[in-house]
Amino acid sequence: MVSRVIPVDPFDLVIFGGTGDLARRKILPGLFRRFRAGTMPEESRIIGSARSEHDDAEYRQIVRDAIGEFGGDEKEDKAGIDAFVERLHYVRVDAKGDDGWKELAGMMRDGIIRAFYFSVGPSLFGDIAERLNRFDVADDKSRIVVEKPFGRDLQSAKELNATLRSHFREDQIYRIDHYLGKETVQNLMAIRFGNVLFEPLWNNHYIDHIQITVAETVGVGGRGAYYDKSGAMRDMVQNHLMQLLCLIAMEAPSQFDADAVRDEKLKVIRALQPVDYHHLVRGQYDAEGDQPSYREDAEDPRSFTESFIALRCHIANWRWAGVPFYLRTGKKLKARSSEIAVVFQDLGHSIFEGDEKRHRNILAIRLQPNEGIDLQVTIKEPGPGGMRLIDVPLDMTFADALGPEAEDVPDAYERLIMDVFRGNQTLFMRGDEVEAAWAWTDPIIAGWEARGDVPKLYEPGTAGPDDSAMLLHRDNRRWRDIKA
Ligand code: BG6
């Protein structure tokens, strides 16, 4: 199979927060993998930057250790690591002062793409953005990369956008939602817009409802302090699940380019209706054996923050009127499994006498793990004795169908960082998208806060609180099983 990989021009990537957790866990090991794959052009450099004092040699050792700790099989490639760290440099800067900025500016090279990764808390975004321009570190073609959380409500997101836009143009700002960098998430667009089969049925005439599940087995231990101020709605729904919903529900863009795709996603978010509190379930995991409860992990015995959420929402447009979208995500559930299931309507009339079972076509797109698609179809049960029907999966696991190439794909961060150098914003969130997502989220959160709702406890290793199952039972539907 010959694949066409779009080349990357030489770049200088400056990582603010270059010794921090995200840089060590994801960004640097990801860049090393791209280096090994040959997609990091010869002259490119990575410049770590933080408040602590280090020289290049010390920084290179920090990165070696990070690859050793967080890398995959590639961490055995000692010669590769030696060659990679040669590309690394370190400059100490003070994000709130003047130290280090002139030195950083002196390192920049004409004609080489400059990208600045803000792997720091949002309270520093403005300070760094302002200094990048004041000290002429950035040029007109520079790009900045920012991470979630992008605000905690509409107001704070607007302020962040205004701050960044006072120093950089929108086409220079790359807001990461790492879900958009996942291979199978992009496959959603390929499946929908690269096949004739599905799109004619992709509407309220044929689809009964859609389920989006992002289930995790991990708890919030270790990051309880951050998480407790956030909760599943802000941490997962406002961004990751929202992006999945957009890709499933949007109209076909006229072409696959950044603004065409993002315009269509924005229309979906703006068409989302408010969520009625009857269609919302929040949960918190309980203790089990010697495993702590959510409240113990969050170190707040009175915390009302949700580690699980399920909700029903509607998109008010011609394509989707009347089709419920059920979203759920949670920690400490029975399996790590993310899936989108498009459940088609029942047959209007069955010609098979005695066949009373409800047969439904279901297109399930497995995002992780075990990426693939599975189309449930109805066939005749083999054997004599009449026409009995059974439902079977037409299952395609990408790793089986595509072989080793399916396993050797860049992870979300690698792909997204390379897209920054390519100048391709298709898989990044535009400022107006983020604001629209908060505009939908804010009243839902304000509603439960005003009512003083207490999340329902659920047992770890289950599918969440019983009320979540009820959410669908009331509509005569049921969640798909959460299984890896
Ligand atoms: C992050 C959330 O954005 O996504 C985490 O802050 C969550 O709480 C993580 O665990 C899930 O990402 P993935 O790629 O493991 O599905």
Side-chain angles (χ1 to χ4, degrees):
M1 193 184 333
V2 180
S3 54
R4 195 174 59 88
V5 177
I6 302 168
V8 173
D9 288 331
F11 58 83
D12 279 336
L13 171 67
V14 180
I15 308 175
F16 295 109
T19 54
D21 199 51
L22 179 70
R24 292 186 318 109
R25 252 174 217 281
K26 294 278 183 192
I27 305 172
L28 289 156
L31 285 162
F32 175 49
R33 282 192 290 275
R34 289 295 90 208
F35 172 81
R36 289 186 77 223
T39 35
M40 182 167 160
E42 196 63 23
E43 299 152 72
S44 306
R45 297 179 310 180
I46 298 163
I47 302 168
S49 193
R51 239 188 4 200
S52 43
E53 197 74 65
H54 297 290
D55 57 20
D56 285 357
E58 285 166 357
Y59 189 56
R60 289 172 182 172
Q61 190 55 46
I62 292 174
V63 175
R64 280 176 191 279
D65 294 345
I67 294 172
E69 192 174 351
F70 301 113
D73 294 345
E74 69 278 1
K75 64 184 171 208
E76 304 308 330
D77 176 10
K78 302 293 177 219
I81 297 177
D82 288 345
F84 175 65
V85 298
E86 284 298 305
R87 309 283 189 93
L88 296 169
H89 301 274
Y90 184 83
V91 181
R92 176 187 178 274
V93 297
D94 180 0
K96 288 190 170 291
D98 291 349
D99 286 358
W101 292 96
K102 285 202 181 118
E103 193 190 335
L104 188 58
M107 293 181 74
M108 296 292 109
R109 301 172 291 170
D110 287 339
I112 301 273
I113 292 166
R114 302 176 194 178
F116 302 97
Y117 202 125
F118 290 24
S119 182
V120 294
S123 61
L124 293 178
F125 286 3
D127 295 313
I128 295 177
E130 188 266 327
R131 282 166 178 76
L132 284 175
N133 282 323
R134 176 149 59 91
F135 288 95
D136 284 331
V137 186
D139 65 5
D140 197 41
K141 294 207 178 76
S142 294
R143 291 134 209 197
I144 61 170
V145 185
V146 295
E147 275 283 336
K148 73 176 266 254
F150 201 87
R152 55 173 285 107
D153 54 18
L154 177 59
Q155 184 56 31
S156 53
K158 277 186 169 166
E159 285 164 12
L160 268 184
N161 274 334
T163 303
L164 294 179
R165 286 190 193 126
S166 65
H167 302 289
F168 291 92
R169 300 183 309 272
E170 180 65 33
D171 66 295
Q172 296 179 288
I173 305 173
Y174 288 71
R175 296 177 194 78
I176 288 201
D177 181 316
H178 79 281
Y179 266 59
L180 286 176
K182 288 183 190 274
E183 182 73 12
T184 327
V185 173
Q186 292 168 73
N187 233 327
L188 288 177
M189 285 186 278
I191 290 166
R192 283 194 61 195
F193 305 130
N195 292 285
V196 73
L197 204 59
F198 302 117
E199 203 48 30
L201 308 179
W202 213 259
N203 56 51
N204 55 5
H205 298 294
Y206 296 99
I207 292 179
D208 178 75
H209 72 279
I210 290 180
Q211 302 185 8
I212 302 179
T213 297
V214 177
E216 298 184 275
T217 48
V218 292
V220 302
R223 61 199 282 264
Y226 152 76
Y227 191 92
D228 202 45
K229 292 199 193 71
S230 169
M233 187 69 169
R234 289 188 172 97
D235 185 53
M236 297 293 286
V237 177
Q238 186 272 345
N239 38 72
H240 306 325
L241 276 82
M242 177 70 79
Q243 291 296 326
L244 300 179
L245 175 78
C246 285
L247 297 178
I248 278 290
M250 72 184 190
E251 297 300 313
S254 60
Q255 54 192 357
F256 189 57
D257 83 19
D259 276 328
V261 170
R262 296 184 303 176
D263 286 346
E264 294 307 334
K265 290 198 299 174
L266 180 62
K267 286 184 207 159
V268 173
I269 306 174
R270 289 195 172 147
L272 272 172
Q273 293 192 311
V275 173
D276 184 297
Y277 74 92
H278 291 111
H279 301 142
L280 176 77
V281 176
R282 295 194 311 134
Q284 255 183 6
Y285 58 81
D286 205 348
E288 190 188 41
D290 56 359
Q291 295 295 312
S293 66
Y294 173 80
R295 288 179 171 191
E296 284 162 321
D297 275 342
E299 293 179 21
D300 178 356
R302 294 174 46 80
S303 172
F304 284 174
T305 304
E306 75 286 355
S307 61
F308 174 96
I309 191 162
L311 59 86
R312 181 181 112 176
C313 59
H314 284 272
I315 298 171
N317 63 20
W318 273 34
R319 188 190 280 266
W320 294 117
V323 178
F325 286 72
Y326 298 97
L327 274 47
R328 74 178 155 166
T329 181
K331 307 278 185 199
K332 288 225 180 175
L333 298 181
K334 62 196 278 198
R336 176 170 186 257
S337 160
S338 300
E339 181 195 79
I340 299 175
V342 179
V343 182
F344 290 89
Q345 292 176 6
D346 295 350
L347 280 181
H349 164 74
S350 174
I351 63 169
F352 304 108
E353 204 183 324
D355 177 45
E356 271 143 29
K357 192 167 172 280
R358 182 195 236 190
H359 298 288
R360 284 189 152 175
N361 295 122
I362 300 175
L363 174 68
I365 302 157
R366 292 192 301 272
L367 303 177
Q368 62 185 27
N370 200 18
E371 291 83 347
I373 53 178
D374 171 342
L375 180 63
Q376 181 176 296
V377 292
T378 303
I379 60 167
K380 176 185 171 300
E381 192 179 312
M387 280 293 276
R388 292 180 308 276
L389 302 185
I390 49 167
D391 298 326
V392 293
L394 265 178
D395 191 343
M396 184 175 96
T397 298
F398 294 147
D400 297 341
L402 303 173
E405 284 190 43
E407 284 163 20
D408 196 24
V409 294
D411 91 349
Y413 275 92
E414 292 169 51
R415 179 192 314 274
L416 293 174
I417 294 171
M418 289 296 141
D419 275 357
V420 173
F421 307 133
R422 293 189 181 102
N424 183 354
Q425 290 187 304
T426 312
L427 300 177
F428 295 84
M429 293 180 299
R430 210 168 52 191
D432 49 6
E433 265 184 88
V434 177
E435 289 180 16
W438 280 121
W440 176 75
T441 311
D442 276 4
I444 304 175
I445 297 177
W448 78 56
E449 284 177 353
R451 290 190 305 275
D453 278 356
V454 182
K456 300 277 183 320
L457 284 180
Y458 61 94
E459 240 179 85
T462 64
D466 294 342
D467 287 24
S468 164
M470 283 308 298
L471 181 73
L472 272 74
H473 282 180
R474 283 202 310 258
D475 296 345
N476 200 18
R477 299 183 175 106
R478 55 189 303 175
W479 286 112
R480 282 167 61 82
D481 195 15
I482 296 177
K483 53 178 191 273

